[in-house]
């Protein structure tokens, strides 16, 4: 069969290669056309060379094109995959550093909290531009697969306002399940069956079965506390498990910034995070990691080309959802996964308009969600707090209403636990001014924000210095790992 797949943000070299290889693991997809598009022609040419090498080495008829003209890439596409980061690392640095001045300590800052909300303000207008192009030039009924964060906000905007058939995709559920399988001593992750439901990055393993045997809270807590690595790396996650009764999909660092209880004082943060790697809670960890490794694909390009010259091994197909969804839709082979879609009553105790992440089955008829799920009350309360923030954030991004944006940030759980309303108002003004080039919808609000900031008497805090204890350089981490390896 032959159809066209467009990948927006294809300059994300490693991820694009993974998606491409996964899709070509499906025998029926040998004749597919891939249209790559990105703002960086340099990155596009690198990834195209890698993908062309895969095609030629495997003697496939697959066609690969690359262009910085997005509409050209989308023309006639049946599937569109997005993995973009609007504003790049420059804007992302503002998402982390400015809130830190006001006491808001984030590890990642790409989902909610101050950083995630501003990230959404940058992304949503661009997502809606994608949707406009999809409606106008893609194949009728084209499906949009969004991998970009903030997942819920982007997917909400695309479905509700972009009017495009959209599904949001993440791999947090799979990674959490792999952890659980390991601590329970499973020989393979496939021995674990589970239902995981909630919202993206706040999804909860509400039912666990190991080889058919139901796993309860006490057994899971004991298994995590006995694990020599996870007992140290996932301290906050384990504490939430003890209190909520269910395990969260998200890493220690991610989960810590969605809740109001663990990151609100520098002296408290150290009790809950682990500094062995950024993902376990390091202050600004993902920004530091992304900045220090931003050109890793340049230095590792020869290795990428070498691996591209090897035969595709279907046994190494990843657990990323995209290829499995396309296979199910095109061949009818049923796939079960966890997808981000509008709730519409699927989870009984979350708002109908929210974007949820929950189990579904895919076949030729589309994505069919399992309905009638009720998540534990504590999980629902935590999710609803974030959903309310997401809803306001989406509406602010659409309208350019800076007052609504400030209210969205004010209602964020961690922001509200740390900052006063005056601090939030000033912080948002500062962030909108710093990121004005990526926020066209707020252009009219910037002059007044500058005036307010010039007259403000609100003092920022000496928080960045206090948070330094929770930051590691990549050289420090490498030295520690080398010392541990030598000791072993």
């Amino acid at each position: 069969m032959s159809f066209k797949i467009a990948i927006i943000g294809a300059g994300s070299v490693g991820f694009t290669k993974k998606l491409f290889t996964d899709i070509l693991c499906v025998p029926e997809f040998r004749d597919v056309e891939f249209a790559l598009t990105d703002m960086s022609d340099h990155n596009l040419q690198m990834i195209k060379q890698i993908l062309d090498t895969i095609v030629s080495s495997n003697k496939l008829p697959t066609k690969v094109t690359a262009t910085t003209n997005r509409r050209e890439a989308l023309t006639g596409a049946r599937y569109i995959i997005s993995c973009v980061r609007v504003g790049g690392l420059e804007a992302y640095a503002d998402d982390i550093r400015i809130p830190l001045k006001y006491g808001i300590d984030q590890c990642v800052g790409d989902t909610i909290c101050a950083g995630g909300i501003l990230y959404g303000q940058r992304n949503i207008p661009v997502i809606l531009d994608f949707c406009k192009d999809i409606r106008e030039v893609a194949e009728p009924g084209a499906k949009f697969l969004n991998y970009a964060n903030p997942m819920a906000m982007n997917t909400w905007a695309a479905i509700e306002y972009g009017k495009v058939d959209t599904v949001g995709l993440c791999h947090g559920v799979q990674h959490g399940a792999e952890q659980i399988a390991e601590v329970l001593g499973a020989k393979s992750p496939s021995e674990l069956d589970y239902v995981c439901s909630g919202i993206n990055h706040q999804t909860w393993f509400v039912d666990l079965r190991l080889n058919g045997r139901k796993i309860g809270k006490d057994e899971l807590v004991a298994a995590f506390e006995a694990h020599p690595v996870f007992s140290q790396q996932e301290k906050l996650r384990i504490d939430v498990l003890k209190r909520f009764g269910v395990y969260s999909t998200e890493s220690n660092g991610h989960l810590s910034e969605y809740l109001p209880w663990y990151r609100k004082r520098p002296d408290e943060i150290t009790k809950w995070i682990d500094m062995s790697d950024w993902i376990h809670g390091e202050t600004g960890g993902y920004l530091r990691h992304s900045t220090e490794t931003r050109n890793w694909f340049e230095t590792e390009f020869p290795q990428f080309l070498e691996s591209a010259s090897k035969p595709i091994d279907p046994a190494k197909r990843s657990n990323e959802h995209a290829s499995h969804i396309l296979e199910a839709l095109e061949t009818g082979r049923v796939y079960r996964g966890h997808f981000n879609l509008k709730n519409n009553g699927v989870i009984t105790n979350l708002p109908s308009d929210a974007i949820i992440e929950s189990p579904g089955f895919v076949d030729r008829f589309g994505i069919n969600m399992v309905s009638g799920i009720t998540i534990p009350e504590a999980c629902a309360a935590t999710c609803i707090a974030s959903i309310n923030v997401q809803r306001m954030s989406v509406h602010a991004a659409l309208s350019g209403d800076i007052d609504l944006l400030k209210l969205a940030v004010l209602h964020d759980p961690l922001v509200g636990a740390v900052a006063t309303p005056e601090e939030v108002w000033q912080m948002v003004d500062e962030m909108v001014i710093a990121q004005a080039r990526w926020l066209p919808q707020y252009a009219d609000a910037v002059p007044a924000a500058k005036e307010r900031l010039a007259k403000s008497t609100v003092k920022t805090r000496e928080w960045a210095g206090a948070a330094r204890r929770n930051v590691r350089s990549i050289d420090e981490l490498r030295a520690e790992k080398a010392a541990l390896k030598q000791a072993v």
Side-chain angles (χ1 to χ4, degrees), residues 2 46 67 163 167 218 266 340 366 381 414 428 433 474 484:
S2 179
M46 290 181 69
T67 177
K163 304 301 180 184
V167 58
D218 292 342
N340 288 267
L414 182 55
V428 173
I433 292 166
I474 198 167
L484 284 171

Side-chain angles (χ1 to χ4, degrees), residues 214-456:
K214 191 172 178 65
I215 304 298
K217 166 192 166 183
D218 292 342
E219 182 176 355
L220 191 59
V221 169
F224 269 102
E225 289 188 327
H227 194 279
V229 177
F230 295 151
S231 61
Q232 298 305 305
Q233 293 178 341
E234 307 288 1
K235 288 174 284 192
L236 184 150
R237 245 169 137 181
I238 294 169
D239 191 66
V240 172
L241 166 62
K242 289 177 179 177
R243 299 179 193 279
F244 283 37
V246 289
Y247 196 59
S248 166
T249 52
E250 282 318 298
S251 67
N252 206 69
H254 256 316
L255 184 59
S256 70
E257 62 191 0
Y258 308 144
L259 305 172
W261 311 302
Y262 297 98
R263 296 191 77 94
K264 58 186 178 183
R265 293 194 295 270
D267 57 330
E268 286 289 321
I269 294 173
T270 55
K271 297 178 183 178
W272 299 110
I273 69 174
D274 179 83
M275 297 300 291
S276 61
D277 203 353
W278 68 266
I279 200 168
H280 309 309
E282 175 187 340
T283 297
Y286 190 52
L287 172 63
R288 191 267 304 161
H289 171 78
S290 300
T291 301
E292 293 177 341
T293 60
R294 66 186 306 169
N295 294 320
W296 64 272
F297 51 86
E298 298 271 6
T299 57
E300 297 183 18
F301 184 67
Q303 292 96 308
F304 269 117
L305 275 181
E306 182 182 353
S307 67
S309 65
K310 298 175 182 177
I312 293 173
D313 183 358
K316 294 182 179 178
R317 184 179 179 183
S318 83
N319 59 10
E320 293 290 350
H321 293 301
S323 70
H324 300 280
I325 290 174
L326 269 58
E327 179 181 10
L329 291 172
E330 294 294 333
T331 71
R333 291 192 284 268
V334 178
Y335 173 63
R336 179 183 184 274
H338 289 73
F339 313 117
N340 288 267
L341 288 166
K342 194 171 182 179
N343 187 18
N344 287 331
V346 168
I347 301 177
T348 62
N349 52 345
L350 291 184
S352 184
D353 63 336
I355 299 299
I356 57 160
E357 187 169 68
S358 205
F361 294 83
V362 193
D363 56 20
R364 288 190 189 277
F365 295 96
I367 299 176
N368 312 286
M369 300 296 282
V370 178
S371 63
I373 294 174
T374 301
I375 62 176
E377 285 190 70
C379 300
T382 296
C383 288
I384 288 169
S386 293
I387 289 166
N388 290 335
V389 171
Q390 291 165 354
R391 185 188 295 107
M392 283 191 283
S393 298
V394 170
H395 293 164
L398 289 164
S399 64
D401 184 340
I402 195 168
D403 291 327
L404 184 57
L405 174 59
K406 289 173 179 178
L407 287 167
V409 176
L410 182 69
H411 282 83
D412 177 83
L414 182 55
V415 172
V418 173
T420 68
E422 291 84 1
E423 289 171 334
V424 171
W425 256 237
Q426 178 172 305
M427 177 182 69
V428 173
D429 277 343
E430 189 173 348
M431 294 180 81
V432 167
I433 292 166
Q435 300 185 15
R437 78 186 87 166
W438 301 289
L439 300 172
Q441 72 272 46
Y442 292 104
D444 292 342
V446 169
K450 288 181 177 178
E451 284 186 26
R452 287 191 296 270
L453 197 60
K455 297 175 183 177
S456 175

Side-chain angles (χ1 to χ4, degrees), residues 28-67:
E28 292 88 344
F29 292 171
R30 292 168 53 91
D31 291 321
V32 163
E33 176 185 350
F34 289 85
L36 314 178
T37 186
D38 197 282
M39 294 177 65
S40 169
D41 186 62
H42 174 67
N43 284 21
L44 271 181
Q45 296 312 314
M46 290 181 69
I47 186 61
K48 186 176 187 302
Q49 187 177 349
I50 291 167
L51 303 192
D52 283 341
T53 302
I54 293 173
V55 169
S56 61
S57 299
N58 287 272
K59 297 181 171 58
L60 296 171
T62 312
K63 181 180 178 182
V64 179
T65 62
T67 177

Side-chain angles (χ1 to χ4, degrees), residues 18 97 151 197 199 204 216 224 242 314 320 401 418 434 454 467:
K18 179 190 289 188
R97 292 170 185 162
M151 174 60 64
S197 195
I199 63 173
W204 310 90
F224 269 102
K242 289 177 179 177
E320 293 290 350
D401 184 340
V418 173

Side-chain angles (χ1 to χ4, degrees), residues 151-227:
M151 174 60 64
M153 294 184 208
N154 288 344
T155 305
W156 196 321
I159 292 173
E160 189 70 24
Y161 301 100
K163 304 301 180 184
V164 166
D165 182 8
T166 304
V167 58
L169 303 178
C170 184
H171 43 233
V173 173
Q174 299 97 299
H175 290 175
E178 289 165 0
Q179 272 194 341
I180 293 170
E182 181 174 334
V183 301
L184 292 175
K187 296 177 182 177
S188 164
S190 63
E191 294 182 7
L192 183 73
D193 291 317
Y194 52 90
V195 174
C196 197
S197 195
I199 63 173
N200 181 245
H201 288 183
Q202 291 174 48
T203 323
W204 310 90
F205 289 94
V206 296
D207 197 342
L208 291 168
R209 313 287 175 105
L210 183 65
N211 294 316
R213 182 175 65 83
K214 191 172 178 65
I215 304 298
K217 166 192 166 183
D218 292 342
E219 182 176 355
L220 191 59
V221 169
F224 269 102
E225 289 188 327
H227 194 279

